[in-house]
Amino acid sequence: MCCTVQFIIEPTVVIVPGLRDHVPDHWQTRLAEDLDRVRTVAPLEHDKLDLPARVDALDRVLSEVDGPIALVAHSAGVVITVHWAQRATRDIHSALLATPADVEKPFPAGYPTTDELNQRGWLPIPRRRLPFPSIVAASTTDPLASFRRVAGMAEAWGSRLVDLGDVGHLNPASGFGPWDRARDLLREAVDLGRPSAAGQEV
């Protein structure tokens, strides 16, 4: 193609990755490349499994942004986001929370154990209603969380639940990579935070 049409969204988008390091072909990375105003929470260099350190890293990025913010979190990044929301230091316009990792249940081999995650502050997953409108995008075939469990989280958080179907963990290993639907769901999440949507059930 001779040119690129940039995807413009009104709030600044803050990307909240999970425990992965930077992955060039991850859909969050691809989405950030298409956005006009975007920040990404950088991977930690030390204490990578420490939840309070992750929450502090998110809080630092948010403190540097002027104006409304839309969060786009994936996997453990969703858990980081909902922990941050328990002590939110600023208003958030809206959030897209994709395939949250269920840290309360054992992960497959090669991932941190439940005991390791518990020792580093990840458990329990907060179930308090979030102080901002949000969409939870859930997979029916996620090896890191059952659809039923994620649906329960979405209900507790006051989030709109979107069934993505068979998308695995929505990462490059599952074929994502580029995920075009992220743009549509982000627009929907942003619309939830507009004044015209105030007071509506999300």
Side-chain angles (χ1 to χ4, degrees):
M1 294 188 298
C2 65
C3 56
T4 300
V5 177
Q6 196 166 47
F7 172 53
I8 298 176
I9 206 78
E10 291 174 10
T12 296
V13 173
V14 172
I15 305 286
V16 190
L19 294 177
R20 63 181 171 83
D21 289 325
H22 179 75
V23 179
D25 200 38
H26 194 281
W27 66 266
Q28 283 182 306
T29 308
R30 294 294 192 91
L31 178 65
E33 293 170 352
D34 291 342
L35 291 168
D36 182 48
R37 292 188 295 275
V38 63
R39 294 287 305 275
T40 298
V41 180
L44 297 180
E45 295 183 5
H46 307 286
D47 297 324
K48 292 189 174 185
L49 204 58
D50 189 71
L51 186 277
R54 294 273 181 172
V55 171
D56 287 345
L58 170 58
D59 193 61
R60 284 194 298 273
V61 172
L62 296 176
S63 70
E64 297 168 356
V65 178
D66 294 325
I69 292 174
L71 299 171
V72 176
H74 173 249
S75 187
V78 176
V79 184
I80 295 165
T81 297
V82 296
H83 273 280
W84 176 87
Q86 306 310 299
R87 56 158 210 184
T89 55
R90 61 166 299 162
D91 291 337
I92 297 297
H93 181 279
S94 52
L96 170 59
L97 310 174
T99 56
D102 186 357
V103 297
E104 295 173 346
K105 296 292 184 179
F107 287 160
Y111 289 91
T113 66
T114 307
D115 285 344
E116 288 173 327
L117 292 168
N118 187 36
Q119 292 169 11
R120 304 309 292 272
W122 293 83
L123 278 65
I125 298 171
R127 298 303 204 282
R128 187 183 304 171
R129 187 179 183 90
L130 296 175
F132 45 81
S134 58
I135 290 175
V136 169
S139 168
T140 58
T141 55
D142 191 343
L144 302 188
S146 73
F147 183 86
R148 181 183 63 82
R149 292 271 297 176
V150 173
M153 294 176 202
E155 182 177 8
W157 297 337
S159 306
R160 175 183 294 172
L161 179 66
V162 174
D163 182 349
L164 299 179
D166 178 11
V167 297
H169 191 52
L170 199 65
N171 56 4
S174 304
F176 307 90
W179 181 40
D180 291 340
R181 196 173 178 188
R183 296 168 175 81
D184 294 333
L185 290 176
L186 177 54
R187 286 192 183 96
E188 290 179 25
V190 168
D191 285 344
L192 289 178
R194 297 189 193 284
S196 61
Q200 292 183 7
E201 181 64 35
V202 300

